[in-house]
Amino acid sequence: MLGKLFPHIKPKTLQEKVYSRDAFIYLDRVMWSFGWTEPKEKRWKWLYGLWTLTTTIVVLILLPISMVVSYVDSFHSFSAGEFLSSLEICVNIYGCCLKCAFLMRGHRMFLEAKKFLDRLDESCHGDEENLTMRRYVAWGNFCYVIYHILYWGFVLVNFTGYILIRRHAWRMYNPFLDSEENFYSSSFAEFFLMSAVVTMDQCTDVSPLTHVLMARCHITLLKDRLGRLRRDIRKSDDEHYNDLTKCIKDHRLILEYINVLRPVFSGTIFVQFLLIGIVLGLSAINLMFFSTFWTGLGTLCFMFDVCLETFPLCYLCNVIVDDCQQLSDTLFQSNWLSADRRYKSTLVYFLHNLQRPIILMAGGVFQICMQTNLSMVKLAFSVVTVMKQFNLAEKFQ
């Protein structure tokens, strides 16, 4: 069923042309719709720029301001649950604005990264390698679809939960609609704006995951090529040496691909690391002390989505570090003992470079890995502990 609605989540056959850049088909379409890329034709450049300005002002500037204004304008009418539900979203929205700014600024870097992927695709030969690449491309598009379902699931569940008790889910300030007299109109306006900002946030979370996933795709292919070095006895020494130099070039392209993306993802993940503990802590307090069944279900979906913002990427970064170790092990275990001196000296140089793992940093401070992610999540437990020790829940009630 899902494959019929989103055909790119299924691996293509060998008869169909597929490139590594096809892993970003759904992501690129949504980013284009928000005005974060470039128009397909230059004659629409000014109109597209105007659309970019409109979405940026409405969703990334006015929407966060409206959340703060609502606290000033009608703070006395908030219940404790409504305030925490709004506050956890508000904090995440301000983080989303910063992440979107990094992603918009990194558009040219994404274009350059795709050129490196195109060059890496040229090294894919044989049915096995092409099938592996097609599988990773499908996974990249599948990641976007799954994130879209889960993120929009939170919006729908949270919106429905508050509509059933006739309350506003996020309490945004709207100068054009009175929230009490025009309850349903203002609620659906909130739903539309929240859907837009959640989709933007989804783009900032899926983009690093998919780009790193394609890096792992070509690392895996390189590992297989290293294992096949000097296995074909029909090749001459010069041909074996050419195979080794091609592997060195592929490894260099992978490193250049990662280095192009570092500045963009360093900023987005750094912001998320700073926010994840606070946001999860506020959500946990709301869930434990102030939620009904339906509002609690929405909060639970939100907490799960917040964990998705960092956990899959951190896990994938850990896997890539292990893959780098396997690259050097595979090269060392290849059939090089009977090679000539030129081959051995080049192999030693290559082996030295392979022993340096690919490590991504967030803001130049935190390593993007599972250990950092778990350390940040632990902050949520600290927030809940402080709440219990001072009996703040009873005072809010």
Side-chain angles (χ1 to χ4, degrees):
M1 178 64 181
L2 202 59
K4 292 181 179 179
L5 294 175
F6 304 98
H8 295 290
I9 67 174
K10 297 191 297 184
K12 301 295 184 182
T13 62
L14 291 173
Q15 288 70 35
E16 300 174 270
K17 285 188 176 181
V18 176
Y19 305 97
S20 293
R21 60 169 60 223
D22 293 336
F24 312 102
I25 287 178
Y26 296 130
L27 177 64
D28 286 343
R29 287 176 184 175
V30 176
M31 290 175 65
W32 178 85
S33 69
F34 285 128
W36 291 1
T37 58
E38 296 177 352
K40 297 179 180 179
E41 298 182 22
K42 290 187 176 180
R43 59 176 177 170
W44 303 112
K45 181 178 180 180
W46 294 106
L47 186 61
Y48 189 78
L50 183 62
W51 173 245
T52 303
L53 184 64
T54 302
T55 57
T56 302
I57 291 175
V58 173
V59 181
L60 299 181
I61 297 177
L62 295 181
L63 176 59
I65 291 175
S66 73
M67 301 281 291
V68 176
V69 170
S70 68
Y71 300 148
V72 178
D73 182 65
S74 54
F75 183 78
H76 62 280
S77 63
F78 276 88
S79 66
E82 286 178 321
F83 177 70
L84 287 173
S85 179
S86 176
L87 183 61
E88 66 197 28
I89 296 294
C90 182
V91 172
N92 210 48
I93 285 178
Y94 275 91
C96 173
C97 295
L98 292 174
K99 293 194 295 181
C100 290
F102 281 112
L103 212 64
M104 294 169 69
R105 193 187 66 175
H107 171 63
R108 304 231 176 247
M109 299 177 190
F110 294 144
L111 295 179
E112 190 174 349
K114 288 176 182 176
K115 293 178 182 178
F116 285 119
L117 288 178
D118 292 338
R119 293 171 63 184
L120 285 166
D121 286 345
E122 295 173 3
S123 300
C124 293
H125 302 293
D127 292 349
E128 186 177 348
E129 288 191 356
N130 281 291
L131 284 172
T132 299
M133 188 260 286
R134 281 162 167 74
R135 189 163 58 250
Y136 273 89
V137 167
W139 286 348
N141 289 307
F142 183 72
C143 285
Y144 179 85
V145 173
I146 288 299
Y147 270 67
H148 189 77
I149 292 172
L150 293 173
Y151 279 39
W152 272 60
F154 151 70
V155 177
L156 288 170
V157 170
N158 203 53
F159 176 74
T160 304
Y162 277 92
I163 282 288
L164 291 175
I165 59 175
R166 196 175 170 77
R167 305 287 290 184
H168 289 87
W170 301 287
R171 297 294 296 266
M172 300 175 188
Y173 174 75
N174 191 332
F176 305 106
L177 291 172
D178 184 272
S179 59
E180 297 301 329
E181 294 182 3
N182 303 281
F183 173 74
Y184 289 105
S185 299
S186 59
S187 294
F188 279 101
E190 281 189 4
F191 176 79
F192 173 76
L193 291 172
M194 185 56 62
S195 299
V197 74
V198 163
T199 306
M200 287 184 175
D201 192 35
Q202 172 196 337
C203 291
T204 65
D205 297 331
V206 174
S207 181
L209 179 62
T210 309
H211 280 89
V212 175
L213 182 68
M214 293 314 298
R216 206 219 163 197
C217 168
H218 288 284
I219 290 173
T220 302
L221 294 175
L222 176 59
K223 182 173 63 177
D224 294 338
R225 292 178 200 132
L226 292 176
R228 293 196 300 266
L229 287 175
R230 293 185 60 83
R231 298 294 182 187
D232 191 348
I233 59 176
R234 294 170 297 179
K235 290 184 177 181
S236 64
D237 288 342
D238 288 339
E239 288 176 320
H240 288 310
Y241 183 76
N242 288 334
D243 291 341
L244 178 61
T245 54
K246 287 179 182 177
C247 290
I248 294 174
K249 290 178 181 178
D250 289 342
H251 182 251
R252 188 178 301 167
L253 286 174
I254 293 171
L255 293 179
E256 290 176 349
Y257 169 77
I258 292 291
N259 290 334
V260 165
L261 298 171
R262 285 183 191 275
V264 184
F265 300 148
S266 174
T268 57
I269 303 303
F270 179 72
V271 171
Q272 192 56 45
F273 274 157
L274 293 180
L275 294 180
I276 184 172
I278 299 173
V279 172
L280 285 178
L282 292 172
S283 302
I285 293 168
N286 188 18
L287 183 67
M288 293 169 64
F289 300 108
F290 304 108
S291 292
T292 62
F293 173 77
W294 286 107
T295 59
L297 186 61
T299 302
L300 200 61
C301 291
F302 176 70
M303 294 175 70
F304 182 74
D305 290 344
V306 169
C307 291
L308 283 179
E309 293 180 344
T310 54
F311 174 79
L313 178 64
C314 290
Y315 175 77
L316 192 56
C317 288
N318 276 39
V319 171
I320 285 181
V321 171
D322 294 337
D323 286 340
C324 291
Q325 180 61 46
Q326 292 177 13
L327 283 177
S328 60
D329 293 343
T330 304
L331 179 61
F332 183 76
Q333 294 168 6
S334 64
N335 187 24
W336 57 270
L337 291 176
S338 59
D340 56 25
R341 183 176 180 180
R342 180 183 60 165
Y343 186 96
K344 288 181 179 179
S345 60
T346 305
L347 182 139
V348 170
Y349 167 77
F350 188 26
L351 187 61
H352 176 71
N353 288 332
L354 285 178
Q355 289 173 339
R356 302 172 184 172
I358 297 175
I359 296 176
L360 292 173
M361 301 295 292
V365 180
F366 308 114
Q367 180 182 342
I368 303 177
C369 62
M370 287 300 298
Q371 184 177 358
T372 305
N373 189 53
L374 293 174
S375 298
M376 297 301 171
V377 170
K378 286 179 182 177
L379 180 60
F381 297 100
S382 302
V383 174
V384 175
T385 301
V386 170
M387 187 83 172
K388 285 186 173 181
Q389 286 181 345
F390 291 92
N391 294 321
L392 295 180
E394 295 180 5
K395 295 178 181 178
F396 279 132
Q397 289 173 340

